[in-house]
Amino acid sequence: MNLAIRDVQNDLSRFALTAVGLGLLLTIVLAMTGIYNGILQDATALPDSLGCDLWVVQRNTRGPFAELSRISPDLEDRARAVPGVRAARSYVSHTIQRELPTGKPIRFTAVGLSWPDDRGERLAIVDGRALSQPHFECIVDRSLGLSLGARLTLGRDVYEVVGITEGLLASGGDPAVFFTRSDAQAIQYDQSNEAIRLDRESRTRRFNESSLKNNEALRRRSLEANVSSPALGPPPIAAVLIDVMPGIDPEDVRSQLEEWRDITVYTQEQQDELILGGVVEKTKKQIGLFRGLLVIISAILMSLIIYTMTVDKIHSIALLKLLGAKPQVILGMILQEALLLGGIAYAIAILIGNATFHLFPRRVVVGNEHRLTLLGIVFAISVAASIIGMRKALAADPNEVLAS
Amino acid sequence: MNTLKPAIRAQGLSKDYGEGNTFVRALQDCSFELNAGEVVALLGPSGSGKSTLLTILGLINEPTTGDLWIGDSQVIEAGKVAQDVNDVRRQELGFVFQRSNLIPFLSAEENVRLVLELDEISPREAKKRTKEIMAALEIWDRADNAPNKLSGGQQQRVAIARALINEPSLLLADEPTAALDKSRGRQVMGLFQTAARERNAAVLVVTHDHRALDLVDRIFMIEDGLLDTESQFKPSEFGVIGK
Ligand SMILES: Nc1ncnc2c1ncn2[C@@H]1O[C@H](COP(=O)(O)OP(=O)(O)OP(=O)(O)O)[C@@H](O)[C@H]1O
Ligand SMILES: [Mg+2]
């Protein structure tokens, strides 16, 4: 007969209740781990999905995710000329909040893809397709809540949803929406009619006050609806994404590019580190702290439970000693009960986790390695908790049997 | 009964508790022999050292000085336990106490069988022997009951079955009948007598209960830690009144 199991059976409801309580606690530990992983994955999902070797950003900035970066669009062509560079794409992004015709507000980060080199094929498109024309199509993240074929009116243009991605969020947690670069910039620099009218008026006034007011050609030109001064270049871009030729060390290309004084270059890993070190650093620490605290609380609770369970049967333990039970029989009973409790609580945590984590508002990412880690932690806690009970049991005096 | 070698031989057992103001000499230079197959009653006023002697014989407490042999092997030498306590307890000793002291989370049958399982006897054999002894003690019909579902007398019979199942050389009982009424008390004492005879054990019973003393072979008296093995009381003097 197994003494641990017989003892547990004797007060099954108490044991079950304890196991469920502990299991819920472990569920939260697992959830915390999953949320932590989710934050890390969400944060790097977008840069990772763009799939490049090097990021060229504005000099001394940590852009384009952790910080704003503005570079000249000609950097794309300049970069292409560098030996070892296979391809260069520009990257633009900005966050937009609009109201749908239904009145429902939506918020997303518009990301510009370098049409025609990059049509979004590298994104993990789970539904639909990549962009197939240079204008008026977009790929949206599922979390935005739009389905394939939906139409999105932005500025004076209408964009059709042709592809759906999953888990591609910008650092602020907003879903990413991919357009061609020119569309993205058109959306970014789109102005309301009123703004255009006011702008034209002020231009006319300035023109009339200037010494050029008699130049009829210039006057006509300045009153055109959508004018951009020839003195202004094309709008800046946020970054240039570089793919390195096969067999070339990205580090070599990086050191060449870094010679240019107007830019800073990051590898993909450095980019991830910038994001994790900067944007989600505090969240990461906070959740890490909670997770650590919960593990400690579980350990304390478990120790208390095992200790109480031992004290409750101290008389039986004294009796077992009197019957000549070897110490390992008694210690084994306590350890087995602790492991049984830990094991059942762990199973409950895994089951509840599997059943509920997808319902959490934040993404919970739990892999087998995390389950195994938790199992290791539960095992360690069970053993540690039983040591306290074991010490109590070893101290049990057979005289107690006589005294009662 | 008159075997050449006594089952138990104690030589010069003494036990001191405390020191200074709290010093108590609970046992003074006790020497005696117990034979296999006999039941000896240990009588004495409260605080005279009965339990002290029993716990020393049961290797629960060590004496201050003295020696003890069980059969051929010396288990206490100059006040120190000289053998593996657990081995001796499992193989040579049986205990019965005032209250039955069964393990509450095991059934009656498991409480008895446990002793054999602790001694690593095969489960088959253990089950067989458990059934035998519980049947002999007329408690087999309650085998599956939890201890708290048994009456005091039934619990005591389970405890006796447990004490006897490992065929001990020495069975120690501390006031086993105190919680029982007269007829049940006599019944328990009768069980000790049968066990001693049939299983060749030496039985030492601490008792205040004079109602069953006619069932023992010898009476030891103890007072202030001094043991008198040649007491003036003879079991035959304790006739059963009204029987
Ligand atoms: N652990 C101890 N520490 C100090 N003194 C003790 C201890 N155990 C027993 N004594 C003392 O030793 C003496 C003998 O005690 P013991 O328990 O052996 O008496 P007893 O004959 O069993 O009494 P009772 O009939 O009341 O059970 C008593 O004076 C008691 O106070
Ligand atoms: Mg006593």
Side-chain angles (χ1 to χ4, degrees):
Chain A
M1 83 200 73
N2 182 301
L3 291 173
I5 290 177
R6 295 296 287 113
D7 181 34
V8 166
Q9 282 174 338
N10 185 52
D11 201 345
L12 202 56
S13 53
R14 183 175 91 157
F15 185 84
L17 209 62
T18 313
V20 168
L22 208 57
L24 288 172
L25 200 59
L26 293 178
T27 309
I28 300 176
V29 173
L30 197 62
M32 284 286 177
T33 308
I35 290 171
Y36 178 93
N37 296 329
I39 286 173
L40 299 198
Q41 259 193 31
D42 283 353
T44 55
L46 180 56
D48 288 351
S49 75
L50 292 168
C52 67
D53 298 313
L54 294 172
W55 289 80
V56 177
V57 302
Q58 184 182 345
R59 184 79 173 176
N60 293 334
T61 67
R62 314 181 131 231
F65 300 99
E67 193 182 340
L68 192 71
S69 158
R70 279 167 192 272
I71 54 176
S72 158
D74 66 14
L75 262 168
E76 191 180 332
D77 295 325
R78 278 163 63 192
R80 278 199 192 100
V82 173
V85 172
R86 185 169 61 82
R89 295 169 270 156
S90 57
Y91 174 85
V92 297
S93 85
H94 52 275
T95 300
I96 289 170
Q97 179 161 343
R98 293 288 154 83
E99 265 181 20
L100 291 177
T102 58
K104 186 181 155 217
I106 54 165
R107 197 181 147 87
F108 60 87
T109 294
V111 176
L113 300 173
S114 230
W115 178 272
D117 300 338
D118 185 357
R119 301 164 186 233
E121 295 100 333
R122 292 183 226 208
L123 306 171
I125 294 177
V126 292
D127 205 0
R129 55 169 173 84
L131 305 181
S132 64
Q133 56 184 51
H135 289 293
F136 312 130
E137 285 187 347
C138 63
I139 301 168
V140 306
D141 192 73
R142 196 188 290 293
S143 58
L144 189 64
L146 293 180
S147 45
L148 277 186
R151 282 164 195 283
L152 199 54
T153 307
L154 297 165
R156 277 156 298 174
D157 298 313
V158 179
Y159 300 85
E160 187 189 347
V161 175
V162 297
I164 304 277
T165 60
E166 223 164 55
L168 291 188
L169 306 180
S171 42
D174 301 316
V177 178
F178 301 87
F179 301 89
T180 61
R181 179 179 127 201
S182 53
D183 279 359
Q185 286 184 319
I187 295 163
Q188 181 176 10
Y189 296 104
D190 169 57
Q191 288 174 311
S192 67
N193 291 336
E194 179 68 3
I196 293 169
R197 199 179 56 74
L198 287 172
D199 183 51
R200 194 188 305 160
E201 231 164 62
S202 79
R203 248 184 293 134
T204 313
R205 197 168 56 245
R206 267 183 286 133
F207 184 80
N208 287 336
E209 285 164 6
S210 79
S211 55
L212 299 167
K213 63 183 173 198
N214 294 326
N215 186 326
E216 195 48 39
L218 259 182
R219 169 187 298 275
R220 240 183 293 118
R221 180 96 176 78
S222 73
L223 295 180
E224 273 171 19
N226 216 352
V227 68
S228 59
S229 164
L232 292 176
I237 57 175
V240 172
L241 281 58
I242 290 178
D243 300 321
V244 169
M245 284 176 180
I248 303 273
D249 184 359
E251 209 41 57
D252 293 344
V253 179
R254 192 177 98 106
S255 54
Q256 284 185 66
L257 286 167
E258 285 260 298
E259 306 262 300
W260 299 346
R261 298 285 182 76
D262 54 342
I263 55 160
T264 296
V265 184
Y266 297 116
T267 61
Q268 182 77 46
E269 292 85 64
Q270 285 172 322
Q271 185 61 256
D272 284 354
E273 277 163 27
L274 286 180
I275 293 169
L276 297 182
V279 186
V280 295
E281 171 80 353
K282 282 189 182 144
T283 323
K284 211 175 84 173
K285 276 191 181 156
Q286 182 80 73
I287 293 201
L289 177 74
F290 278 149
R291 194 171 52 155
L293 278 177
L294 280 171
V295 168
I296 294 172
I297 291 169
S298 313
I300 293 173
L301 270 182
M302 184 103 175
S303 302
L304 276 175
I305 292 164
I306 297 298
Y307 180 80
T308 324
M309 280 167 71
T310 308
V311 170
D312 281 354
K313 53 176 177 288
I314 205 75
H315 188 79
S316 297
I317 290 171
L319 196 58
L320 280 168
K321 288 186 172 182
L322 210 57
L323 296 177
K326 292 182 187 131
Q328 56 262 40
V329 171
I330 294 166
L331 301 186
M333 170 173 72
I334 292 166
L335 181 64
Q336 284 167 31
E337 284 185 26
L339 289 175
L340 198 64
L341 185 64
I344 293 175
Y346 172 78
I348 290 173
I350 296 293
L351 288 178
I352 295 181
N354 286 348
T356 62
F357 281 170
H358 65 278
L359 303 172
F360 278 41
R362 269 219 84 113
R363 206 146 69 88
V364 184
V365 179
V366 179
N368 278 336
E369 71 271 26
H370 307 115
R371 295 194 182 94
L372 274 178
T373 309
L374 185 67
L375 186 62
I377 290 173
V378 171
F379 181 77
I381 290 179
S382 305
V383 172
S386 59
I387 287 172
I388 298 170
M390 284 178 182
R391 290 186 50 169
K392 184 76 187 166
L394 283 180
D397 185 355
N399 277 302
E400 289 209 17
V401 181
L402 303 164
S404 67
Chain B
M1 220 192 289
N2 287 323
T3 38
L4 286 173
K5 246 181 232 152
I8 309 298
R9 190 154 68 85
Q11 190 67 54
L13 293 177
S14 296
K15 178 72 179 175
D16 300 337
Y17 284 117
E19 48 191 64
N21 271 346
T22 62
F23 179 84
V24 180
R25 175 146 288 178
L27 214 56
Q28 299 187 41
D29 198 23
C30 290
S31 301
F32 60 91
E33 294 178 353
L34 297 176
N35 297 314
E38 72 170 342
V39 181
V40 175
L42 181 59
L43 263 57
S46 184
S48 56
K50 303 183 296 292
S51 297
T52 302
L53 178 59
L54 226 63
T55 58
I56 290 171
L57 298 179
L59 307 186
I60 296 168
N61 296 320
E62 282 187 333
T64 311
T65 59
D67 304 277
L68 177 71
W69 286 264
I70 297 181
D72 282 333
S73 63
Q74 182 162 15
V75 291
I76 295 178
E77 194 174 345
K80 292 270 164 278
V81 174
Q83 309 232 339
D84 186 301
V85 180
N86 292 324
D87 288 348
V88 176
R89 282 186 189 150
R90 281 200 315 277
Q91 287 152 15
E92 305 288 357
L93 299 178
F95 296 93
V96 180
F97 306 103
Q98 176 171 349
R99 305 257 218 81
S100 66
N101 277 305
L102 301 173
I103 292 178
F105 55 81
L106 299 179
S107 71
E109 189 263 348
E110 286 169 325
N111 262 285
V112 178
R113 178 153 56 88
L114 175 66
V115 176
L116 296 180
E117 291 207 356
L118 289 177
D119 210 20
E120 280 153 24
I121 285 166
S122 79
R124 261 182 91 99
E125 163 98 5
K127 282 192 175 142
K128 195 178 122 236
R129 279 169 63 181
T130 304
K131 184 173 178 180
E132 269 168 25
I133 195 144
M134 288 182 78
L137 287 164
E138 293 170 15
I139 196 71
W140 179 246
D141 55 327
R142 311 305 301 267
D144 293 331
N145 284 68
N148 61 4
K149 298 280 186 298
L150 301 175
S151 73
Q154 287 169 333
Q155 288 184 27
Q156 209 56 315
R157 273 186 280 160
V158 174
I160 293 169
R162 182 180 66 191
L164 290 175
I165 195 164
N166 58 342
E167 308 201 322
S169 312
L170 176 61
L171 189 109
L172 299 166
D174 199 350
E175 306 197 22
T177 61
L180 306 176
D181 62 29
K182 180 183 162 188
S183 72
R184 296 224 177 270
R186 283 188 62 79
Q187 213 174 28
V188 165
M189 208 55 116
L191 290 173
F192 285 141
Q193 197 184 41
T194 319
R197 303 280 190 276
E198 288 177 1
R199 293 166 200 274
N200 225 28
V203 182
L204 185 64
V205 190
V206 170
T207 184
H208 279 127
D209 189 355
H210 290 208
R211 300 169 298 189
L213 281 179
D214 58 310
L215 297 172
V216 307
D217 301 302
R218 285 196 285 160
I219 294 177
F220 288 0
M221 296 293 295
I222 188 166
E223 193 147 8
D224 289 337
L226 283 166
L227 187 70
D228 176 10
T229 56
E230 307 291 328
S231 112
Q232 72 274 30
F233 295 110
K234 295 287 173 263
S236 53
E237 290 169 20
F238 296 91
V240 189
I241 304 143
K243 192 185 172 184

XYZ file of all heavy atoms in Angstrom, chain B residues 41 126 209-210 213:
36
model
N 2.597 -9.184 34.390
C 1.950 -7.901 34.644
C 2.906 -7.018 35.431
O 3.621 -7.503 36.303
C 0.667 -8.114 35.437
N 1.959 -11.151 2.957
C 1.483 -10.193 3.954
C -0.035 -10.271 4.067
O -0.594 -10.291 5.170
C 1.931 -8.785 3.578
N -5.340 -2.515 36.233
C -6.611 -3.229 36.203
C -6.483 -4.565 36.930
O -5.910 -5.512 36.409
C -6.979 -3.432 34.712
C -8.381 -3.958 34.556
O -9.021 -4.257 35.587
O -8.825 -4.070 33.402
N -7.008 -4.631 38.109
C -6.873 -5.854 38.898
C -7.869 -6.930 38.479
O -7.796 -8.048 38.934
C -7.053 -5.535 40.391
C -5.908 -4.750 40.948
N -5.525 -4.805 42.270
C -5.050 -3.895 40.354
C -4.492 -4.012 42.452
N -4.190 -3.432 41.293
N -6.103 -9.869 36.472
C -4.751 -10.303 36.835
C -4.616 -11.818 36.987
O -3.516 -12.357 36.979
C -4.293 -9.614 38.118
C -3.807 -8.173 37.907
C -3.398 -7.550 39.233
C -2.645 -8.132 36.923
